[in-house]
Structures are given as C-alpha cells and as structure tokens.
Amino acid sequence: VADDVRVRDSVLEAVLNDNDPAIRSAAIGLLEPVDADTSVRQVLYSVSNSDDSPQIRNVSRQLLRRVSEIQ
C-alpha cells in the first residue's frame, strides 16, 4: 500500500464502498503504513464520523488516534 498510490486508492475505495464491514475493517488495517497520508486521513475521518457500521467508526477512530500520537 505504501509503495503504490493505485493500491492505496483501491484500498480507500474498499473502505468507502464495500458492503462487508469485515472487508472494510481489514482494508483500514492495510492503511496503517500510510496513515499519515492526507487522503488516507480524510477517508478515515469521514468514515469515523458518518459510517453506518459502529465497527468501522471504531477502527477508524483508533487508527486516527495513533496517527495523532505519532505526530
């Protein structure tokens, strides 16, 4: 994910649009190496606030907290 923008964008697309929360949660986990990337943070922020799935909101918030702690 960190080495290829197209892969990152595909993973972000899965986070935003896949119907299966388990797939979306796994996709969020794949973003950890690039979580400081602006587009990744924007998607994580968006789903952490407005996603229908509590699991997705929670996983996104956890990753965003780790990014904030690192910076």
Side-chain angles (χ1 to χ4, degrees):
V1 174
D3 296 331
D4 192 331
V5 174
R6 293 172 300 178
V7 172
R8 183 209 59 202
D9 290 347
S10 295
V11 173
L12 289 173
E13 186 71 25
V15 170
L16 289 170
N17 297 314
D18 198 284
N19 292 326
D20 185 347
I23 298 287
R24 295 169 64 215
S25 182
I28 290 170
L30 292 173
L31 292 170
E32 195 161 354
V34 291
D35 54 16
D37 182 283
T38 303
S39 59
V40 172
R41 285 195 322 263
Q42 288 173 339
V43 168
L44 291 173
Y45 182 77
S46 175
V47 296
S48 72
N49 287 310
S50 61
D51 199 87
D52 292 337
S53 169
Q55 174 188 0
I56 298 301
R57 290 193 309 266
N58 186 39
V59 171
S60 299
R61 287 178 186 143
Q62 288 174 355
L63 189 52
L64 284 169
R65 265 188 243 118
R66 282 189 289 224
V67 172
S68 296
E69 291 170 1
I70 292 170
Q71 293 177 345

